[in-house]
Amino acid sequence: MNSTVELPVQKQLEAYNARDIDEFMRWWADDCQYFAFPSTLLASNSQEIRERHVERFKEPDLHGRLLARIVLEDMVIDHETVTRNFPEGRGEVDVVCLYQVARGKIAKAWFKIGKPKNL
């Protein structure tokens, strides 16, 4: 593992799966930006990211399964399948996550989300 770039991404994924909001936020820069791919800004700082995830972390089946990871310079690209509790029931969604890491924290992230599939 490339500790300076990959470590924050791996640790935030582990905290996501544990639904530990404080540990999850530890890996995001205070001034981070969070986008729906390619350029829709969903959160412009760590407090807004926290607010987005507090409710999501209440989902009993929430889990991100890493399928593949690419690390290139300051970027980490993950392909995940995420289990969620949607209004219509338990399901999965494929997600491509792009993270830009600076000074040991996630500075920017982009998420391309596929269509939900019911389980």
Side-chain angles (χ1 to χ4, degrees):
M1 181 180 324
N2 179 336
S3 62
T4 60
V5 176
E6 188 176 1
L7 183 68
V9 174
Q10 180 60 37
K11 290 298 189 181
Q12 67 86 41
L13 177 59
E14 291 169 9
Y16 181 94
N17 285 336
R19 294 184 289 285
D20 182 338
I21 192 67
D22 292 327
E23 181 64 15
F24 179 77
M25 293 311 305
R26 178 178 172 214
W27 301 103
W28 292 84
D30 290 341
D31 61 348
C32 56
Q33 295 180 312
Y34 187 102
F35 296 89
F37 187 85
S39 60
T40 302
L41 183 64
L42 301 175
S44 60
N45 58 53
S46 61
Q47 184 57 39
E48 291 179 7
I49 291 174
R50 176 183 284 275
E51 291 168 8
R52 290 183 62 83
H53 286 81
V54 165
E55 283 304 310
R56 182 170 298 167
F57 282 10
K58 293 177 182 176
E59 294 181 22
D61 296 311
L62 183 69
H63 184 80
R65 182 168 44 101
L66 181 64
L67 303 174
R69 176 171 284 161
I70 298 169
V71 179
L72 178 63
E73 297 174 355
D74 65 342
M75 299 292 296
V76 177
I77 304 164
D78 282 356
H79 177 203
E80 300 175 9
T81 296
V82 178
T83 302
R84 299 271 324 265
N85 298 100
F86 297 108
E88 48 288 336
R90 187 170 177 256
E92 288 184 338
V93 62
D94 285 326
V95 183
V96 174
C97 317
L98 296 90
Y99 301 96
Q100 185 176 37
V101 176
R103 296 177 299 284
K105 303 257 183 174
I106 300 167
K108 289 185 180 180
W110 297 262
F111 299 90
K112 175 71 174 175
I113 300 172
K115 293 185 173 133
K117 301 171 275 191
N118 289 338
L119 294 178

